Amino acid sequence: ATAAALGREGGEDAFRRLFRLYRQRDAADLRGVLDFSAPGGQVFRSQLSVSSVSDQDACRAGLQPVSRWKAYGLNGYPGFIFIQNPFLPGCQHHWVKQCLKLYTQKPNVCNLDLHMAPEKTADLWGQSKEKLRVKGSGKCEPRSLLEKLRWVTLGYHYNWDTKKYSANHHTPFPSDLAFLSEQVAAACGFRGFQAQAGILNYYHFDSSLGIHVDESELDHSRPLLSFSFGQSSIFLLGGLKREEAPTAMFMHSGDIMVMSGFSRLLYHAVPRVLPNPEGTPLPSCLNQALSSDLPVGSVIEHTSDEDWQVCAKYLQSSRINMTIRQVLAEGQKFPEEGGTDTQSQAPSEDSHHQNSRAKRHKPNID
């Protein structure tokens, strides 16, 4: 009721008021937050392009056949598609491990590069795994480097200062993540999608993602894909202006969101990370075993028990989100630029992804 009243107030910035409401640690009443596991009201079933993705290709990406996906749309948000955990049992393990162990490696860029020597950030996994494996629940324990990680960029590396991509700051995009993204995009009607840039966000229970629009890509006709793993979160989807009150929804482990068409350039934010609603350290979908019979050409790899022990410990208080974008249309090139200083490709550590541990500096939710 409070959220609805705040949303109706209008005024200078309805989005910001609701962000603050859900950001509050004592915001216990979440009845106004949409849960796609029990859809209703403004939620409707979304039609997918089943014939665009073969069952074999879906399986190779670690996904169920598209005919089994539960996909939804929202009235008032054309182009928005919410896919409720379409991953095959055990396949989320692969993507979590990649985000923590592989995608954090150089030449990819992360927030820790801003204030640490290159050799110190070359192997975040190797430097963190033992500390994570034996870590207790005490808040005073020193954090591992992986726990200090806030973001990683892939492919065309986003310049947080200029809010642009450029041709001369690019590294190879992971082939397994590209294949996954291509299958999801094709199922949503976007055949030929090219995964060219990725931003991985690493959240903890005291983290949030500020109000923003993803508009830096030169081609807005292609969708924005968002994958969520680990603990749950509240996602706010607003309008073209911040005066429009957003709709709040839960994202749980394995859920995928696609923002396309009208919804591609809407304001959105993550005000809060929440424990998974099952009340267990990890959601049940992350306790499922991977099939020993993977198809030929699968991009999914078996995750060792040792590696998953580290990943599981990390996820007990964390959430990982992968957002994948196509930056350029087919045949399109970046406009001519002056010399780009690739050493200033990022801002202060928390300018996009916020963390309330930084007590000295009040987070700017804008």
Side-chain angles (χ1 to χ4, degrees):
T2 304
L6 283 170
R8 286 194 299 268
E9 280 184 18
E12 182 181 357
D13 194 338
F15 200 130
R16 183 173 182 174
R17 283 197 300 276
L18 283 172
F19 183 100
R20 288 189 181 280
L21 172 72
Y22 287 116
R23 176 73 179 136
Q24 293 171 4
R25 310 317 308 160
D26 59 351
D29 187 357
L30 302 177
R31 287 176 294 179
V33 183
L34 287 177
D35 192 336
F36 288 91
S37 62
Q42 68 185 107
V43 177
F44 60 89
R45 286 299 292 262
S46 183
Q47 297 299 313
L48 297 173
S49 181
V50 175
S51 62
S52 295
V53 180
S54 69
D55 290 355
Q56 182 180 16
D57 280 346
C59 188
R60 288 173 58 206
L63 300 165
Q64 301 176 39
V66 178
S67 59
R68 299 182 190 172
W69 294 9
K70 295 179 180 178
Y72 303 96
L74 286 175
N75 288 322
Y77 297 97
F80 176 78
I81 303 172
F82 189 103
I83 304 168
Q84 188 181 6
N85 185 13
F87 289 94
L88 289 166
C91 288
Q92 290 187 53
H93 288 199
H94 171 84
W95 302 110
V96 172
K97 181 199 68 176
Q98 297 296 79
C99 286
L100 292 175
K101 185 177 182 178
L102 184 67
Y103 300 157
T104 55
Q105 297 179 10
K106 297 295 170 274
N108 299 330
V109 181
C110 73
N111 63 290
L112 298 178
D113 296 325
L114 302 175
H115 48 79
M116 296 180 68
E119 61 270 17
K120 296 290 187 180
T121 62
D123 184 16
L124 301 182
W125 174 269
Q127 297 183 67
S128 305
K129 61 181 182 180
E130 291 306 322
K131 186 178 289 187
L132 267 172
R133 187 179 287 113
V134 300
K135 187 176 178 65
S137 57
K139 293 184 178 180
C140 295
E141 290 189 62
R143 290 180 295 159
S144 65
L145 288 180
L146 277 179
E147 291 172 291
K148 296 178 181 179
L149 191 64
R150 293 293 171 260
W151 50 260
V152 168
T153 54
L154 313 171
Y156 287 113
H157 296 280
Y158 186 67
N159 185 321
W160 303 86
D161 290 332
T162 65
K163 301 189 184 305
K164 293 181 180 180
Y165 300 93
S166 65
N168 58 358
H169 196 206
H170 174 268
T171 56
F173 194 93
S175 59
D176 58 347
L177 184 52
F179 184 75
L180 169 69
S181 303
E182 290 160 8
Q183 308 317 306
V184 172
C188 295
F190 296 94
R191 299 186 72 167
F193 175 85
Q194 299 177 51
Q196 297 174 335
I199 299 178
L200 314 181
N201 283 115
Y202 300 81
Y203 299 86
H204 305 296
F205 284 134
D206 55 358
S207 302
S208 64
L209 180 68
I211 306 165
H212 67 286
V213 175
D214 291 290
E215 58 185 356
S216 299
E217 297 74 28
L218 275 65
D219 180 15
H220 294 157
S221 69
R222 311 303 274 174
L224 178 75
L225 310 180
S226 176
F227 302 84
S228 186
F229 304 107
Q231 299 300 322
S232 300
S233 71
I234 297 175
F235 179 79
L236 298 180
L237 181 62
L240 295 171
K241 298 180 180 179
R242 288 175 49 147
E243 288 76 10
E244 300 177 50
T247 296
M249 62 195 79
F250 290 113
M251 282 197 77
H252 303 303
S253 192
D255 290 344
I256 302 172
M257 290 193 310
V258 179
M259 296 172 67
S260 66
F262 172 80
S263 294
R264 177 64 177 76
L265 296 175
L266 298 182
Y267 279 100
H268 54 280
V270 177
R272 193 171 175 192
V273 176
L274 300 164
N276 90 83
E278 299 172 63
T280 52
L282 291 180
S284 56
C285 61
L286 288 175
N287 293 321
Q288 297 172 328
L290 179 67
S291 170
S292 59
D293 186 24
L294 294 173
V296 175
S298 174
V299 301
I300 301 298
E301 302 172 343
H302 284 276
T303 301
S304 69
D305 291 342
E306 180 183 2
D307 282 355
W308 182 246
Q309 185 181 6
V310 177
C311 294
K313 193 73 172 182
Y314 177 89
L315 288 183
Q316 286 181 11
S317 60
S318 305
R319 168 182 177 257
I320 298 173
N321 182 256
M322 311 187 301
T323 56
I324 313 302
R325 311 106 191 283
Q326 178 169 334
V327 177
L328 301 168
E330 187 73 33
Q332 188 178 20
K333 295 183 178 180
F334 288 101
E336 291 294 328
E337 298 180 358
T340 300
D341 179 6
T342 60
Q343 297 301 312
S344 62
Q345 294 291 323
S348 63
E349 180 171 336
D350 294 320
S351 62
H352 185 58
H353 181 290
Q354 289 138 30
N355 183 326
S356 64
R357 291 184 192 274
K359 301 295 185 183
R360 300 179 189 173
H361 305 287
K362 185 177 180 182
N364 175 7
I365 64 170
D366 296 330

